[in-house]
Amino acid sequence: MKNYDIGMIGLGVMGENLTLNIESKGFHVAAYDISKDRMEDFTKTRAKEKNIKIARSLKELVSMVKKPRKIMLMIKAGNPVDQVIEELIVLLDKGDIIIDGGNSHFPDTNRRTKYLESNNLLFVGTGISGGEEGALNGPSIMPGGSEKAWPFVKDLLQAIAAKTKDDEICCDWVGENGAGHFVKMVHNGIEYGDIQLITEVYQIMRDLLKMKPDEIHDIFYEWNKGELNSYLIEITADIFTKKDKDGTYLINKILDTAGQKGTGKWTAINSLHEGVSLPLIAESVYARFLSAIKEERVKASKLYNRKLKHFDGDRKDFLNNLKDALYLAKIISYAQGFSLLSEASKSYKWDLNLGGISVLWKGGCIIRSAFLSNIKEAFDKNPNLSNLLVDSFFKNEIELRIEGLRKVVSIAVLSGVSIPTLSSSIAYFDGYTTNSLPANLLQAQRDYFGAHNYERIDKPRGEFFHTNWTGKGGKTASTIYKG
């Protein structure tokens, strides 16, 4: 009987919790998973006595959903999505909608949108952030794809999305094709940066200040009450209270090798494609790569036998500087992410609402932070803002705290603590706010060895010159490449 509002394919952590979320908002859900055991367990436990019906096949699932059908995929990104789409195409009717809620790469979403529309179907590629808790209680949702699908999925997606304390809904249409998954990709890139910054601050506390987990908890707990208030700071404070079965702190027993699923790497790669400087986020990806070669690092540490210099300064004063450093570096990380969104919006003609995107991230998602409201205000004032660092609010925040960041980076580097993203943040700020960078020498070198041309400060932009530096070269210059 066709009386179900949506079909859910995939009952892993996210799919199962989204199914329960959807049902809790008054919708009837038909669900399917490739694992019969998983479906059986879900039926007997969390789905029991709820408006959730398990389908034994994709064909049965499709038959249970009202037209225009809404079929949501919460499965592994890549080939599995394409395989399920191919199975669904022959079962669906004109105007039916497939929703991909996984972490798909946005070029795949571009391709799938076009492909399904050519088959008279509609496609929604939506980023979903918030993890298990968010999926169950209200995630951040970033939908894109076939714009004609939005009126049919809007009520359901906005009903299950997170809401801010001001009742703003953390779900709205992002843009055509792969826009939603691109925004989610950048969200995850910022998340990589946020996490790495916090871990570097932790290492400074642990190795330089010799602080114990309970002391570190107290600091992060206090920081979360102010301008650093965010989900990641909140859970970081919690992590330092968790003890293992033997009564010792669990954090001290976790191996220092980081995993990843690729979205941070995609963000860094796309910054290169778009010509956007994204060093902090890129460094956070490289830091995970470096952490993964644990055995090499152990051997190198024995070879060099480095000892951190003893910190003999005022600890209270330094912790205040550390707080300022983390806050400013986070701002710089978000500034880089929004710069990439701005450039991609132009490249793909998505017309992204950057202020609106900041609202999507204010609740439910991993990078929800207090200053996202300030980001919204910045883009409300100037939708064409080139960089958050030139907004008046953020300019004031930076000028008040920049010396704290400089002191932390200086002391950490001189003491031998690895801080790739903290040091990258100050390098980006100094470069972005420098009137004259040494790229004039770089261009002279390129013209010297490759006749690559250069512009002059006494001539209009866009006019290029070549010099015969040795007196032996010809007049032929290389073609201009603007990348």
Side-chain angles (χ1 to χ4, degrees):
M1 184 177 178
K2 298 179 180 179
N3 61 351
Y4 289 85
D5 299 296
I6 187 170
M8 177 68 71
I9 299 175
L11 292 173
V13 173
M14 291 296 288
E16 180 177 301
N17 283 285
L18 276 173
T19 297
L20 293 168
N21 184 350
I22 294 169
E23 192 275 341
S24 73
K25 301 304 187 297
F27 298 97
H28 293 208
V29 188
Y32 172 79
D33 192 276
I34 195 171
S35 168
K36 292 181 179 179
D37 290 341
R38 185 178 290 168
M39 289 193 294
E40 190 72 23
D41 180 66
F42 187 47
T43 301
K44 293 179 178 178
T45 56
R46 302 180 79 192
K48 189 176 182 180
E49 297 182 359
K50 296 184 183 297
N51 292 314
I52 298 169
K53 178 71 173 178
I54 295 297
R56 299 302 166 182
S57 68
L58 288 182
K59 184 176 181 179
E60 183 181 1
L61 180 85
V62 169
S63 72
M64 294 165 64
V65 181
K66 298 181 217 176
K67 292 184 179 181
R69 300 180 183 95
K70 296 177 280 290
I71 308 295
M72 189 169 195
L73 314 185
M74 292 303 300
I75 60 179
K76 185 178 180 181
N79 288 332
V81 176
D82 288 318
Q83 290 169 9
V84 173
I85 285 174
E86 288 301 322
E87 293 183 58
L88 287 172
I89 282 178
V90 298
L91 301 173
L92 297 174
D93 296 321
K94 181 179 179 180
D96 287 346
I97 303 160
I98 296 176
I99 306 168
D100 174 17
N103 269 334
S104 289
H105 200 193
F106 80 96
D108 289 336
T109 307
N110 288 340
R111 169 177 56 80
R112 289 167 185 151
T113 303
K114 184 177 180 181
Y115 175 60
L116 286 168
E117 287 178 349
S118 72
N119 282 273
N120 296 313
L121 299 171
L122 300 177
F123 187 66
V124 174
T126 183
I128 298 177
S129 176
E132 181 178 1
E133 179 186 351
L136 181 62
N137 300 313
S140 168
I141 304 178
M142 300 152 258
S146 305
E147 194 162 5
K148 289 181 180 179
W150 179 233
F152 297 103
V153 301
K154 178 180 179 180
D155 289 347
L156 186 148
L157 292 182
Q158 291 193 336
I160 66 171
K163 295 174 180 60
T164 69
K165 61 182 180 180
D166 298 320
D167 285 330
E168 298 166 302
I169 300 173
C170 299
C171 170
D172 204 354
W173 187 251
V174 173
E176 295 181 345
N177 301 310
H181 275 134
F182 190 95
V183 169
K184 176 56 166 39
M185 177 193 75
V186 174
H187 164 285
N188 284 24
I190 294 172
E191 177 187 314
Y192 272 55
D194 252 7
I195 290 173
Q196 180 61 28
L197 286 167
I198 292 170
T199 62
E200 290 174 21
V201 168
Y202 155 62
Q203 186 176 17
I204 289 171
M205 291 178 175
R206 183 193 68 185
D207 296 345
L208 194 58
L209 302 183
K210 307 299 182 184
M211 295 173 66
K212 304 299 182 185
D214 57 338
E215 296 177 292
I216 297 173
H217 157 77
D218 292 345
I219 294 297
F220 278 105
Y221 181 81
E222 286 301 314
W223 285 358
N224 195 51
K225 295 178 181 179
E227 61 269 21
L228 275 170
N229 174 257
S230 65
Y231 174 73
L232 284 170
I233 297 293
E234 177 186 339
I235 68 169
T236 298
D238 285 348
I239 285 168
F240 288 107
T241 66
K242 189 68 174 178
K243 292 185 178 181
D244 204 3
K245 294 178 181 179
D246 62 0
T248 61
Y249 287 101
L250 179 60
I251 187 65
N252 293 333
K253 293 188 175 181
I254 298 175
L255 188 67
D256 59 321
T257 58
Q260 59 182 308
K261 290 189 175 180
T263 46
K265 181 172 68 175
W266 292 345
T267 308
I269 290 171
N270 277 279
S271 75
L272 297 174
H273 290 323
E274 298 298 331
V276 175
S277 183
L278 210 76
L280 190 154
I281 292 172
E283 285 289 358
S284 71
V285 178
Y286 293 138
R288 294 196 186 192
F289 293 160
L290 192 62
S291 78
I293 53 172
K294 172 72 174 180
E295 290 72 21
E296 280 188 55
R297 290 188 290 110
V298 170
K299 289 179 182 178
S301 70
K302 292 176 180 177
L303 177 65
Y304 284 93
N305 195 29
R306 290 192 307 111
K307 301 292 184 184
L308 295 185
K309 291 186 178 179
H310 176 70
F311 178 78
D312 56 6
D314 184 301
R315 192 166 91 161
K316 183 177 180 180
D317 183 59
F318 184 73
L319 283 170
N320 286 330
N321 289 329
L322 198 56
K323 177 183 178 182
D324 288 345
L326 179 56
Y327 179 56
L328 292 195
K330 280 169 63 72
I331 288 173
I332 290 168
S333 178
Y334 282 70
Q336 292 178 12
F338 274 91
S339 292
L340 179 56
L341 289 174
S342 177
E343 201 59 36
S345 180
K346 299 170 191 173
S347 296
Y348 295 100
K349 297 180 174 57
W350 283 332
D351 194 26
L352 297 180
N353 180 346
L354 301 185
I357 289 170
S358 70
V359 173
L360 303 187
W361 294 347
K362 285 175 68 176
C365 74
I366 304 302
I367 65 168
R368 57 186 185 264
S369 302
F371 64 67
L372 278 163
S373 296
N374 305 113
I375 293 177
K376 171 70 162 58
E377 292 170 5
F379 285 111
D380 283 349
K381 285 187 295 183
N382 181 7
N384 299 313
L385 187 68
S386 59
N387 192 301
L388 286 173
L389 301 189
V390 299
D391 172 73
S392 58
F393 171 82
F394 291 106
K395 177 178 179 291
N396 183 62
E397 294 295 282
I398 290 168
E399 289 180 334
L400 283 173
R401 296 173 171 86
I402 191 67
E403 288 309 309
L405 177 56
R406 293 194 189 283
K407 288 177 182 177
V408 166
V409 170
S410 299
I411 290 172
V413 171
L414 289 172
S415 301
V417 180
S418 175
I419 50 165
T421 53
L422 283 170
S423 58
S424 174
S425 68
I426 193 64
Y428 176 85
F429 171 77
D430 286 339
Y432 186 76
T433 58
T434 294
N435 178 55
S436 181
L437 290 169
N440 54 330
L441 175 58
L442 185 155
Q443 282 301 97
Q445 291 170 331
R446 294 180 71 244
D447 192 55
Y448 190 110
F449 65 69
H452 291 296
N453 296 294
Y454 55 85
E455 294 175 273
R456 295 176 60 101
I457 61 174
D458 54 355
K459 298 292 182 181
R461 290 297 307 266
E463 190 174 345
F464 290 86
F465 300 86
H466 167 59
T467 292
N468 184 352
W469 296 89
T470 64
K472 299 176 183 178
K475 295 181 179 180
T476 303
S478 177
T479 55
I480 303 300
Y481 170 72
K482 297 180 181 179

